[in-house]
Amino acid sequence: DDENDDDHFEREYIRKRFKTNTSGSDVQQQSAMVKENKKDEAVTDKRSPKEEVVVEETKTNKETQQPASSTTSSSNCNKSDEQNKERTRLKNQLRKQRRKEKKTAAAKAKKDMENNRQKEAAKLEKTKAARQRDQEKLRKPAREFVTCRKGVKYADINVGQGPVVQDRKKMRVKYILRAETRQGKIIDSGSNFGFRLGKGEVIEGWDIGVKGMRQGGTRHLIVPPAAGYGNKNIGAGSGAILYFEITLLSC
């Protein structure tokens, strides 16, 4: 009877708690759940003080471990962030260094290019000036020739500043012998030829045409066959007129 009263009480309690009209089977299921909860509560109430202390310590340890784990995780995150920042800083530094090196290399290449351009321009200007001098020299009107005996003619290209050559004295000259004209083919030349003036050591045209030269001067000399090699062919043809360019080195 007491158990039936308890069951009736539980059913009434469930109806009032959930405020619903439940069937008999639903009430029985809910009643069984209530009984199970009561048994668990009874078991919990029957724990000894020591068991309760162990349970509390376990809860406390779990609560204590959770912040430690959280702290470790936060530390790892901070460390990872610092590493990422350091890596980013190094990348930026390397990128800046590479940009600087590229700028330096580009500036050097530009400077070298400018220097080469200036050198080429200077070289071209020098060549152009030399060509103009040569053209002016060719266009320059011929100096008036002085006619001497035996048809020898001379014209001073450059009058020297040194002493005047003397008869029977040793002298040294540099000469070029051309055929046909003063700009003709070179058939003979000498850079340090020595002889004594008026001693017959050279052709008569030289003894006649070199007189009056000053040391350092240059003279054009036209020698006809009668004062040269006659009908002998020395490379300009038989009986050719000889064109000399003579520079007096010393006397």
Side-chain angles (χ1 to χ4, degrees), residues 229-248:
Y229 297 96
N231 292 326
K232 184 179 179 181
N233 185 359
I234 61 171
S238 179
I241 297 173
L242 305 178
Y243 295 84
F244 291 93
E245 183 178 310
I246 301 172
T247 300
L248 181 57

Side-chain angles (χ1 to χ4, degrees), residues 80-136:
S80 178
D81 291 341
E82 290 178 358
Q83 289 177 350
N84 290 333
K85 288 180 180 179
E86 180 66 16
R87 191 178 296 110
T88 303
R89 187 183 68 80
L90 292 175
K91 284 183 179 179
N92 291 335
Q93 185 177 359
L94 183 61
R95 194 177 293 114
K96 288 180 180 178
Q97 185 177 355
R98 287 178 178 172
R99 283 200 296 266
K100 186 176 180 181
E101 290 175 354
K102 285 183 179 179
K103 287 182 180 179
T104 304
K108 186 177 181 301
K110 186 177 179 180
K111 187 176 180 181
D112 293 341
M113 188 180 297
E114 183 66 20
N115 291 336
N116 291 334
R117 189 186 66 79
Q118 291 178 357
K119 288 180 180 178
E120 290 295 329
K123 186 177 179 180
L124 184 62
E125 189 68 23
K126 188 175 180 181
T127 304
K128 186 177 180 181
R131 189 177 302 162
Q132 287 178 350
R133 285 195 301 269
D134 292 340
Q135 290 177 353
E136 288 176 0

Side-chain angles (χ1 to χ4, degrees), residues 10 29-43:
E10 289 175 0
Q29 289 178 0
Q30 293 175 1
S31 177
M33 291 172 63
V34 171
K35 287 182 180 181
E36 289 293 331
N37 292 331
K38 285 184 176 182
K39 286 181 182 180
D40 293 337
E41 291 176 358
V43 171

Side-chain angles (χ1 to χ4, degrees), residues 5 13 83 86 148 156 186 192 207 218:
D5 291 338
Y13 171 76
Q83 289 177 350
E86 180 66 16
C148 304
D156 286 318
I186 297 175
N192 191 17
D207 284 335
T218 302

Side-chain angles (χ1 to χ4, degrees), residues 53-67:
V53 170
V54 171
V55 171
E56 290 297 328
E57 288 179 354
T58 304
K59 290 181 179 180
T60 303
N61 291 336
K62 288 182 179 180
E63 292 175 357
T64 306
Q65 289 175 358
Q66 287 178 355

Side-chain angles (χ1 to χ4, degrees), residues 137-152:
K137 188 176 179 181
L138 292 174
R139 291 172 186 170
K140 192 173 182 180
R143 292 177 179 271
E144 185 177 351
F145 280 84
V146 178
T147 304
C148 304
R149 58 190 179 88
K150 287 198 173 182
V152 176

